[in-house]
Amino acid sequence: MSLALFRQRLAATPLGGRGMLAASLVCFWAFHFIVLWPSSFSQDGADQALNLGADLTWVIAVSCNALALLGCVVALSRGATVRFERLARLSGLLTTCGIGLIALRAVWQGAPAGAAFLAGNVLFGVGTGLMMASYADRLRRVSPQTTFMTLSAAFTVGAFLCLLFTLALVPLARWVAAALLPLLAAYFYGRYARQADDGKEETSNASAASSASSPDDFPLSGLPLKSLLGLIVVVGLTAGVMRGMSHLDSDVTSAGPLFVGSVLVGGSVLFALSFLIERLRPTLLLQGVVVVISAAFMALAFLAGESMSVAFVIHTIGFLFFVALVWLFCTFLGNGRSGGTRLFIIGLCANQMGQALGSLGYLGLVAAVGSSASALVPASLATVYVLLLAALIFFANAGRTRRAVPEVAPQAALQLPLLAEAYHLTAREVEIGVLVAEGKSRAAIAEVLVVSQETVKSHTKHLYQKLSVHSRDELLRLLEEEARQAAEQQVFL
């Protein structure tokens, strides 16, 4: 395949025209993988007891990450103007300084090195949190499929870079490379932001991006926000628990290739799924993630330390899927909506808080029972119980919400034909709009009208544009308001 043909095919995908954003995310996840998993927090001669040097620094880094995200949420909630391009540059500097301080432990011993290591983790956590907030501001302007594809590609390429640096470079050079990656991530982010703001990227038009992805594929009516945030926190908690368990097995603790290989496999599968994401139900994807993570902890509970490496691989792949879904749903929540950036950041903050809580909970259990080996089985079973409970609550709420919608929809749908003349709607747009309001999926509408799903998508897009709405929920609110006004006029007459 020629280079020109490859570029042409790439431009036809959701990644087309977003190379700088993808490059920034690759750098972001590459240094994340290098620092957090293969080498930074592992300790030589790890034993079965509590490892404060490794575990508490992880908690500090993730907690600072969550606090940085929370600070951005508070600032946006108060109406403050946040310049995310400048924030990205600041995050690059903070993260680079943090990695430099963390790296001192490799060449310097003693109390000063310990203090520098602690300060480095604080700076690393704050810097990565600010960078995630900056990504939220840009990704809320693209379609959910674009976010899913970009993130999965970043996982895969970032893991490959991590493996390359780990195998090809000596430790000192590896740390230098890791310290330069945050600066590159901020640089590529700045270039992408300037291109988008200058109108060279399609992402500058939030409404167009919202119309490009069909809201019927990711209906808010089927994804209750509070329950979803609760599930995000709980799955983050499972990552924190698994991170605390990982030093039980020397292969998991010291071998970056085990983690990197898991990320390569998971990222590749995610990238393949990204081409089909519009045809998959998000709730089905969530169920798959819950099953995979539960299986990992059940393997730990029944096979104890013998299955640590297998469970770690399963959990890593499952958690990658969930991270991609978190960013996917956050993109949809923020897409074309006022306060979209804040909603996106809230979702990311919930996940990081869950990781910190999971790590702290596991540390407390180990301190209570005396060793990680004794805490392994109860922690695994408790984690599965909490995860399944959160999933049941989420899916139960989603089911109740979906069942409640059709009770209102048929009444509201009757208003749509009355709006045809005022909004210049075609007969086909009215016909499809009524079915959308009644809760029919794109596939069901296509079957009823004997047309293709692409035809349904096109008419739905035009309908939303004419009515100035961006989702089925907004369409229902508009129709309900029209019905209320019509009823008031009849009473008056």
Side-chain angles (χ1 to χ4, degrees):
M1 181 188 297
S2 66
L3 182 60
L5 181 59
F6 174 77
R7 289 179 176 176
Q8 183 179 1
R9 291 187 177 180
L10 181 63
T13 70
L15 288 178
R18 299 182 178 90
M20 293 298 168
L21 178 62
S24 179
L25 280 165
V26 165
C27 294
F28 176 80
W29 288 106
F31 76 73
H32 229 82
F33 295 155
I34 293 171
V35 173
L36 290 185
W37 289 97
S39 55
S40 172
F41 292 92
S42 60
Q43 299 281 345
D44 294 332
D47 54 25
Q48 302 291 308
L50 188 65
N51 192 333
L52 296 180
D55 296 315
L56 286 182
T57 48
W58 163 263
V59 175
I60 290 169
V62 176
S63 299
C64 290
N65 187 284
L67 288 174
L69 289 167
L70 184 61
C72 292
V73 171
V74 172
L76 292 171
S77 299
R78 294 183 175 181
T81 300
V82 180
R83 300 184 182 275
F84 286 98
E85 188 177 350
R86 295 182 181 178
L87 199 67
R89 290 199 294 268
L90 175 62
S91 72
L93 292 173
L94 290 176
T95 306
T96 294
C97 291
I99 292 175
L101 291 173
I102 292 172
L104 286 178
R105 192 183 64 175
V107 295
W108 189 19
Q109 301 296 325
F117 180 72
L118 179 62
N121 282 288
V122 171
L123 292 178
F124 180 86
V126 173
T128 53
L130 296 179
M131 195 68 205
M132 289 169 71
S134 300
Y135 286 132
D137 184 59
R138 289 294 158 181
L139 289 176
R140 74 174 180 85
R141 307 164 192 244
V142 304
S143 69
Q145 185 185 23
T146 300
T147 293
F148 198 83
M149 184 174 290
T150 305
L151 198 65
S152 58
F155 285 157
T156 306
V157 181
F160 177 77
L161 287 178
C162 177
L163 184 63
L164 181 64
F165 291 163
T166 302
L167 297 179
L169 301 177
V170 297
L172 182 59
R174 187 188 313 160
W175 283 111
V176 172
L180 292 176
L181 285 172
L183 298 177
L184 285 175
Y187 169 75
F188 288 130
Y189 176 90
R191 287 196 59 182
Y192 175 79
R194 287 190 293 273
Q195 289 176 355
D197 292 339
D198 290 341
K200 297 179 181 178
E201 298 283 355
E202 295 177 355
T203 56
S204 59
N205 189 333
S207 296
S210 178
S211 299
S213 59
S214 172
D216 298 320
D217 292 326
F218 306 98
L220 280 176
S221 59
L223 296 174
L225 180 58
K226 292 182 180 179
S227 298
L228 177 61
L229 288 177
L231 186 58
I232 288 173
V233 170
V234 170
V235 176
L237 183 146
T238 71
V241 173
M242 182 63 73
R243 180 59 188 78
M245 292 177 175
S246 65
H247 71 265
L248 272 172
D249 191 290
S250 59
D251 292 334
V252 174
T253 308
S254 60
L258 182 65
F259 168 73
V260 173
S262 304
V263 176
L264 283 171
V265 172
S268 300
V269 174
L270 281 170
F271 189 73
L273 282 176
S274 66
F275 289 93
L276 306 172
I277 195 64
E278 289 190 346
R279 303 178 185 177
L280 299 175
R281 294 183 61 84
T283 50
L284 181 61
L285 292 172
L286 275 174
Q287 289 170 356
V289 170
V290 171
V291 168
V292 169
I293 296 178
S294 298
F297 280 98
M298 292 303 291
L300 281 173
F302 287 108
L303 301 177
E306 298 176 3
S307 66
M308 187 68 221
S309 298
V310 175
F312 182 79
V313 171
I314 296 174
H315 183 275
T316 299
I317 294 175
F319 187 69
L320 281 181
F321 271 70
F322 192 82
V323 170
L325 285 175
V326 168
W327 289 56
L328 171 79
F329 292 131
C330 288
T331 302
F332 181 75
L333 291 173
N335 199 312
R337 290 175 171 81
S338 59
T341 300
R342 183 177 62 87
L343 285 173
F344 199 121
I345 298 174
I346 286 174
L348 298 180
C349 184
N351 183 255
Q352 298 305 104
M353 286 183 173
Q355 292 192 45
L357 289 173
S359 297
L360 284 173
Y362 185 72
L363 289 177
L365 181 60
V366 172
V369 300
S371 71
S372 291
S374 300
L376 181 62
V377 173
S380 299
L381 295 177
T383 301
V384 172
Y385 174 79
V386 173
L387 177 60
L388 293 179
L389 181 62
L392 286 173
I393 293 173
F394 168 74
F395 291 118
N397 288 338
R400 282 197 296 268
T401 307
R402 283 195 297 269
R403 287 193 295 271
V405 171
E407 296 176 3
V408 183
Q411 268 190 335
L414 295 176
Q415 296 298 314
L416 194 57
L418 304 179
L419 302 178
E421 184 176 353
Y423 288 93
H424 307 289
L425 303 178
T426 66
R428 181 63 86 180
E429 287 168 356
V430 171
E431 190 176 22
I432 289 177
V434 169
L435 294 173
V436 169
E438 290 178 351
K440 299 290 193 300
S441 66
R442 185 194 297 172
I445 295 173
E447 184 177 353
V448 169
L449 301 180
V450 195
V451 296
S452 69
Q453 292 191 35
E454 286 302 315
T455 299
V456 176
K457 179 179 179 179
S458 177
H459 284 300
T460 305
K461 174 182 175 181
H462 294 152
L463 173 70
Y464 286 171
Q465 288 176 337
K466 291 179 180 180
L467 297 178
S468 298
V469 298
H470 303 99
S471 68
R472 177 175 174 272
D473 288 345
E474 292 184 16
L475 173 63
L476 282 177
R477 284 195 291 270
L478 172 64
L479 296 179
E480 289 167 1
E481 179 63 21
E482 291 290 338
R484 185 187 62 80
Q485 292 180 2
E488 290 177 353
Q489 290 177 359
Q490 288 180 355
V491 171
F492 180 76
L493 292 175

